[in-house]
Amino acid sequence: MEVTRHRHGRDPHDDQPTAASILRHRGPVEIGRFRGENPEAWIFQADRYFDFYHIAEDQRLSITSFYSLSP
C-alpha cells in the first residue's frame, strides 16, 4: 500500500504536525524567545502554543530548542 504525502512529507491522514512544519507556518499563537527572565510566563506561553497546535509530547523539546537563547 502506497502512502500519499503532501509536499511537506506528511501523511495527509496524520493530524500530528512535524516540528519542521510548525516552524515554517506561523499562525495566531507563537512562542517568544526565552531570554532567561520570567520562566513561568514563558512555560505558560509554550504550553498554550503546544495545546493550540496539538503538538505531541515527543516533539516539544525539539521545538522549544529553537526558541531559547544561548547564554
Side-chain angles (χ1 to χ4, degrees), residues 2-66:
E2 185 177 327
V3 175
T4 304
R5 297 202 179 271
H6 284 239
R7 64 187 172 121
H8 297 297
R10 289 183 50 217
D11 180 340
H13 298 45
D14 183 8
D15 63 353
Q16 292 296 319
T18 64
S21 69
I22 289 293
L23 293 171
R24 272 196 303 271
H25 303 288
R26 294 187 179 196
V29 178
E30 295 186 18
I31 301 175
R33 294 258 182 218
F34 179 66
R35 302 177 192 284
E37 301 170 358
N38 201 354
E40 293 86 5
W42 189 85
I43 292 169
F44 176 81
Q45 183 182 26
D47 283 339
R48 183 172 174 242
Y49 179 90
F50 296 141
D51 290 343
F52 184 85
Y53 290 108
H54 308 286
I55 307 292
E57 290 283 333
D58 63 343
Q59 293 185 359
R60 293 180 179 198
L61 182 59
S62 175
I63 291 171
T64 56
S65 69
F66 291 103

